[in-house]
């Protein structure tokens, strides 16, 4: 039985531009407060050519990054954090830091979501599946042999990262788990939405098909056509499902999507389920950001 083990809001990068004279004064006050906290030893600091990064590390948990920099319109602040890794104590500390730097509710109501990472875990090995995404022409297979596949350009509006979570935990964190896990991450960029609009984002997983390889033989028998035969032959040569899919012509790709979609694992495809889950996440963020 195939089970979705986890569905989580894994990462958020928020940003706010400060363009007017009044806004630049707010930016400078926030920067000076961060410098004061750094001087007190409460924050760490990294200085780059056009950016100063303040970070707070929570032992054995995660880090919060607050980056002050410049853009073509003036000044800009990014806040980079992992909601899924914050426990109650860390949340409280993080929110008080946001209030101290920018004022009450400012981050929740005015900072825009620049990067949103959503993660799904499946309790089967990555090798069990074929992955392909409609509307995506780029992929990076450089790390495929190490158990990671990238679908989509690095900084495009939508990217999928698929990897062997069991292997990653063992190599990066020396954590051994007894069962295989395939992690599927969707990265969404440039939404221009605030956190209180989070629930309006459509599921990014809809274009991604995750097809059990075991289904291929029965599909070949049921659909004896050139497109499916060509796709299967390409897979047998060792290329990825995305590569095999992109090799086909426009009509063949359309046909393959029609054949494969009913057999794909559903990763948040239900509009009603997806909307309710995002509303729940939005309400959690509202609670912690507005009740500090």
């Amino acid at each position: 039985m195939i089970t979705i083990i986890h569905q989580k809001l894994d990462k958020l990068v928020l940003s706010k531009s400060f363009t007017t004279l009044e806004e630049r004064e707010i930016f400078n006050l926030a920067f000076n407060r961060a410098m004061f906290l750094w001087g007190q030893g409460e924050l760490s600091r990294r200085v780059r050519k056009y950016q100063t990064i303040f970070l707070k590390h929570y032992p054995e948990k995660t880090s919060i990054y607050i980056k002050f920099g410049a853009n073509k319109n003036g000044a800009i602040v990014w806040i980079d954090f992992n909601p899924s890794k914050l426990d109650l104590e860390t949340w409280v500390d993080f929110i008080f830091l946001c209030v101290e730097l920018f004022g009450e509710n400012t981050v929740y109501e005015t900072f825009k979501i620049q990067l949103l990472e959503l993660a799904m875990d499946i309790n089967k090995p990555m090798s069990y599946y074929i992955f392909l995404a409609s509307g995506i022409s780029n992929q990076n297979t450089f790390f495929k042999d190490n158990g990671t596949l990238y679908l989509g350009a690095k900084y495009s509006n939508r990217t999928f990262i698929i990897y062997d979570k069991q292997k990653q935990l063992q190599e990066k964190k020396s954590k051994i788990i007894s069962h295989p896990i395939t992690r599927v991450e969707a990265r969404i960029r440039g939404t221009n939405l605030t956190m209180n609009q989070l629930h309006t984002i459509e599921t990014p997983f809809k274009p991604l098909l995750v097809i059990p390889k075991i289904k291929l033989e029965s599909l070949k028998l049921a659909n004896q056509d050139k497109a499916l035969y060509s796709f299967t032959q390409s897979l047998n040569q060792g290329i990825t499902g995305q590569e095999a899919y992109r090799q086909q012509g426009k009509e063949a790709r359309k046909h393959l999507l029609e054949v494969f979609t009913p057999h794909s694992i559903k990763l948040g495809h239900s509009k009603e389920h997806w909307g309710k889950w995002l509303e729940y996440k939005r309400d959690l963020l509202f609670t912690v950001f507005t009740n500090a």
Side-chain angles (χ1 to χ4, degrees):
M1 179 179 178
I2 299 170
T3 305
I4 305 297
I5 304 172
H6 293 114
Q7 176 176 294
K8 63 183 180 179
L9 179 57
D10 201 37
K11 184 175 183 177
L12 277 172
V13 177
L14 312 173
S15 75
K16 178 177 174 63
S17 292
F18 299 80
T19 56
T20 67
L21 183 61
E22 182 181 358
E23 288 174 336
R24 287 298 297 268
E25 290 178 357
I26 296 170
F27 173 90
N28 291 333
L29 283 172
F31 180 81
N32 289 334
R33 291 190 192 106
M35 285 292 291
F36 174 78
L37 294 173
W38 169 69
Q40 297 294 306
E42 295 187 34
L43 298 175
S44 299
R45 186 181 68 151
R46 299 174 185 169
V47 180
R48 296 176 179 171
K49 189 174 182 179
Y50 299 109
Q51 193 178 91
T52 300
I53 304 171
F54 297 94
L55 62 100
K56 188 160 190 180
H57 180 65
Y58 299 95
E60 306 301 328
K61 296 174 184 175
T62 187
S63 295
I64 306 296
Y65 297 84
I66 301 178
K67 308 171 185 180
F68 291 80
N71 62 9
K72 62 182 180 180
N73 296 318
I76 186 168
V77 173
W78 297 270
I79 302 176
D80 184 331
F81 65 106
N82 297 87
S84 62
K85 295 182 180 178
L86 303 182
D87 59 20
L88 181 58
E89 180 182 351
T90 310
W91 266 118
V92 170
D93 188 81
F94 171 43
I95 300 307
F96 272 107
L97 176 60
C98 290
V99 171
E100 185 170 359
L101 294 180
F102 305 105
E104 290 187 13
N105 300 340
T106 302
V107 171
Y108 182 78
E109 294 178 354
T110 67
F111 275 62
K112 301 293 182 68
I113 299 171
Q114 293 304 315
L115 173 65
L116 176 71
E117 287 188 8
L118 299 155
M120 300 276 193
D121 287 344
I122 308 168
N123 67 344
K124 291 285 185 181
M126 186 174 169
S127 59
Y128 191 81
Y129 303 106
I130 299 162
F131 303 91
L132 62 92
S134 59
I136 288 179
S137 57
N138 299 89
Q139 74 164 344
N140 183 347
T141 59
F142 185 78
F143 300 100
K144 184 179 70 171
D145 292 340
N146 290 328
T148 302
L149 178 64
Y150 294 84
L151 302 182
K154 186 174 182 180
Y155 294 109
S156 63
N157 289 338
R158 184 182 63 217
T159 307
F160 297 108
I161 301 92
I162 303 148
Y163 61 94
D164 183 337
K165 185 66 176 176
Q166 184 186 36
K167 184 173 184 287
Q168 187 253 1
L169 287 173
Q170 183 174 350
E171 292 179 351
K172 297 290 181 65
K173 298 184 178 181
S174 299
K175 183 177 179 180
I176 298 175
I177 56 174
S178 59
H179 55 279
I181 294 179
T182 298
R183 165 66 58 88
V184 181
E185 291 181 1
R187 295 180 182 174
I188 309 168
R189 291 180 174 82
T191 67
N192 205 35
L193 299 172
T194 58
M195 282 189 284
N196 57 358
Q197 298 171 307
L198 179 68
H199 65 291
T200 65
I201 297 175
E202 294 186 3
T203 171
F205 293 103
K206 191 172 183 178
L208 179 67
L209 299 186
V210 183
I211 309 145
K213 288 181 180 178
I214 198 171
K215 294 281 187 181
L216 270 186
E217 196 59 39
S218 58
L219 286 174
K220 281 171 58 181
L221 293 174
N223 301 271
Q224 297 181 9
D225 56 74
K226 291 181 179 179
L228 192 56
Y229 177 79
S230 175
F231 178 85
T232 306
Q233 289 297 102
S234 296
L235 288 180
N236 291 338
Q237 294 173 12
I239 68 174
T240 67
Q242 185 70 12
E243 288 173 305
Y245 169 71
R246 294 299 305 177
Q247 284 181 355
Q248 310 301 315
K250 182 178 178 180
E251 291 302 316
R253 291 199 301 270
K254 181 180 178 181
H255 173 69
L256 287 172
L257 292 178
E258 292 173 352
V259 171
F260 288 145
T261 297
H263 303 279
S264 174
I265 298 171
K266 307 306 178 189
L267 297 177
H269 284 207
S270 166
K271 186 174 181 179
E272 180 182 2
H273 175 267
W274 178 258
K276 287 182 179 179
W277 184 76
L278 275 188
E279 284 179 3
Y280 169 69
K281 291 298 179 181
R282 178 205 59 190
D283 292 344
L284 283 180
L285 290 169
F286 173 81
T287 299
V288 295
F289 272 98
T290 60
N291 289 279

